[in-house]
Amino acid sequence: MSVERGFDHAAPPPAALPRKLADILRPELASLAAEIVDEIRATIPAYARPLDGPYGKSIRAGVEYAITLFVAQIADPTVSKEQSHEVHHRLGQNEMREGRSLDTLQSAYRVGARVSWRRIMRVGRRSGLSSAVMSQLADAMLAFMDELASVALDGYLEAKARTAGALDTWRRKLLRLILETPPASPKAIAELAQLIGWPVPTDATPVAVCPADGVAPARRHAGLDADILAELDTPDPKLVVPGELGGARLATLQVALPDCRLSIGPCVPLASVADSLRWARNALQLAERGVLVPRPVLRAEEHLATLLVNSDTGLVGTLRHRLFAPLADMTGKQQERLLETLRAWLDSQGNVVEIAERLSVHPQTVRYRMRQLQATFGESLRNPAARFEMELALRAGAAPLPLRYPVSELLPSPRTGTARPQWTSN
């Protein structure tokens, strides 16, 4: 039996068998079914009990459907396999529910193949079939039994996956598979999703969860909808919600996860969920640092620019220190006042009245501070690239201010003529 075949049961079609074989084999079906069942019961202890009731009927039905379909395919290779596959899929589910092992199920199919081939050999000799036809018949029969065994295996694994403990384990595995980087193959996700009955969405919304008291939420909260994949008992609790996360569904999440801050990533195609979750986590970190307002619910898509400029705090810190090195000899209060004015000047595009309103100061005060900025930064304020860098650095808020630089480190470099700031915080 081929376990690797997974959900793809289509065995390669054998070369066409002579259709007259169907007429030769059809009279054998009833007695062959009984012989297969008897042999399974005699050689596999787990099947030795009386086959009465629904369980016995499912075993007999599986055997009868199998050999009947095999002969029907000889007569008509296009005959539908759907009903037989359904029976064997259900048979695999029943075997798991009955508590039998996977090895026992595989053994039953091997016994069925052996008994069938033994009967075919007798019929072939009696009917004078050539060795070439017998070899072809053997290949077709073994491939057919392997195909049905794979169908039953899927039923077995599906039933196992749906048990209470196993279902949660498989759901967590699926969540981790979706969050793999680089992305896992859509086929792998679809196969695992089918195993647990999770409809694969086109788009999904990740949610990073931050418990207010630092204690991880319950492993699987009963209040979560069944289609939400969750892993809550880890240092980085998270959810994946199929589709958009709207108001009603968000309210349900908040009830299910009280005392937790939720950071919602943008709704993205399933292959991009890992990136979206990373942005949601970054938003949580910025809220903890005070860069974002620490609301109970954060939506990362509302802060994409802030996430971008804070994506490398070390780099932004270096940029801030380089840009604002001219402020090093000022007091902390002076630095704060000038940087506040600089931010307002950049935001208002130099409109003195608007700057005064933003800062709640007199326009004359703004003009005085602007003369200080001109004297401090000089040509940089007229340089579009420098202004852009300043705005990035001010919006990021990555490095602590005020800063102190040793005067010697602000002297021009002998080679480049530019300042070489090495900084320390007050």
Side-chain angles (χ1 to χ4, degrees):
M1 185 176 94
S2 174
V3 175
E4 290 78 9
R5 188 173 294 159
F7 292 99
D8 182 6
H9 309 301
L17 290 162
R19 297 196 177 190
K20 67 176 182 178
L21 286 177
D23 296 330
I24 296 173
L25 296 174
R26 196 172 285 115
E28 307 289 328
L29 293 180
S31 60
L32 176 58
E35 185 179 351
I36 291 173
V37 171
D38 290 344
E39 187 82 3
I40 288 173
R41 293 184 62 205
T43 58
I44 303 176
Y47 295 100
R49 74 182 196 183
L51 298 182
D52 298 325
Y55 167 72
K57 288 181 180 178
S58 69
I59 295 290
R60 295 184 189 279
V63 172
E64 291 168 0
Y65 270 99
I67 60 178
T68 300
L69 176 61
F70 178 68
V71 173
Q73 283 185 307
I74 296 175
D76 178 9
T78 66
V79 69
S80 173
K81 305 177 183 181
E82 183 176 351
Q83 192 169 13
S84 182
H85 279 200
E86 170 107 11
V87 169
H88 283 262
H89 187 268
R90 193 162 55 247
L91 181 62
Q93 292 176 322
N94 291 341
E95 290 300 287
M96 189 273 156
R97 292 172 186 142
E98 288 287 331
R100 273 181 282 281
S101 71
L102 195 53
D103 287 340
T104 300
L105 178 62
Q106 293 173 331
S107 296
Y109 279 93
R110 285 194 292 269
V111 169
R114 185 174 67 246
V115 173
S116 297
W117 179 240
R118 196 167 60 205
R119 176 68 66 93
I120 287 173
M121 290 288 288
R122 290 204 302 267
V123 172
R125 284 195 297 268
R126 187 175 68 226
S127 303
L129 298 178
S130 68
S131 59
V133 170
M134 290 298 292
S135 175
Q136 189 180 350
L137 190 57
D139 289 342
M141 188 271 294
L142 292 174
F144 176 76
M145 293 300 288
D146 183 64
E147 182 179 341
L148 291 186
S150 289
V151 173
L153 171 63
D154 288 344
Y156 185 97
L157 294 177
E158 182 178 305
K160 185 175 182 179
R162 290 174 185 264
T163 60
L167 181 59
D168 185 58
T169 299
W170 285 109
R171 290 175 67 91
R172 289 157 71 93
K173 286 184 177 180
L174 176 59
L175 176 60
R176 292 170 189 172
L177 191 64
I178 291 170
L179 296 176
E180 277 190 0
T181 303
S185 72
K187 181 180 179 183
I189 291 174
E191 289 182 352
L192 188 49
Q194 182 176 341
L195 191 63
I196 64 172
W198 189 71
V200 179
T202 303
D203 302 314
T205 303
V207 181
V209 180
C210 179
D213 56 5
V215 178
R219 179 180 179 119
R220 168 105 185 135
H221 197 286
L224 295 178
D225 294 335
D227 64 339
I228 294 178
L229 300 178
E231 190 171 37
L232 299 174
D233 58 344
T234 64
D236 56 341
K238 52 194 168 289
L239 311 168
V240 168
V241 181
E244 294 275 0
L245 181 51
R249 189 142 210 199
L250 176 57
T252 302
L253 275 185
Q254 289 179 287
V255 171
L257 298 168
D259 302 320
C260 288
R261 178 172 293 134
L262 306 179
S263 183
I264 303 168
C267 182
V268 293
L270 205 60
S272 301
V273 166
D275 286 332
S276 184
L277 179 62
R278 176 165 49 83
W279 303 331
R281 284 182 181 144
N282 290 347
L284 277 180
Q285 293 170 2
L286 293 181
E288 290 170 2
R289 288 167 41 200
V291 177
L292 297 179
V293 178
R295 296 188 176 92
V297 176
L298 298 168
R299 286 192 177 271
E301 64 186 348
E302 296 175 358
H303 308 284
L304 295 181
T306 303
L307 290 171
L308 179 61
V309 298
N310 285 277
S311 60
D312 189 329
T313 55
L315 180 59
V316 173
T318 300
L319 177 65
R320 284 171 63 91
H321 285 293
R322 178 176 65 79
L323 292 172
F324 304 137
L327 303 177
D329 289 332
M330 297 181 182
T331 67
K333 191 68 174 177
Q334 289 173 321
Q335 290 183 33
E336 182 180 351
R337 187 167 55 242
L338 282 185
L339 288 178
E340 180 185 47
T341 304
L342 177 60
R343 172 73 182 270
W345 178 76
L346 291 167
D347 287 347
S348 63
Q349 299 182 3
N351 186 306
V352 172
V353 175
E354 186 176 338
I355 296 172
E357 290 176 352
R358 285 173 179 264
L359 301 180
S360 299
V361 297
H362 193 277
Q364 192 61 33
T365 302
V366 172
R367 293 187 182 94
Y368 169 73
R369 292 185 188 177
M370 286 307 305
R371 285 194 292 272
Q372 285 185 295
L373 288 173
Q374 291 285 355
T376 303
F377 292 104
E379 289 298 317
S380 294
L381 296 184
R382 286 184 283 274
N383 185 317
R387 291 200 304 270
F388 175 70
E389 289 182 342
M390 287 178 177
E391 188 162 6
L392 279 180
L394 289 169
R395 288 185 179 277
L401 285 174
L403 301 168
R404 287 289 182 219
Y405 301 84
V407 174
S408 61
E409 294 299 336
L410 293 174
L411 296 176
S413 166
R415 288 186 300 171
T416 64
T418 58
R420 302 169 300 174
Q422 294 181 356
W423 42 82
T424 57
S425 296
N426 265 7

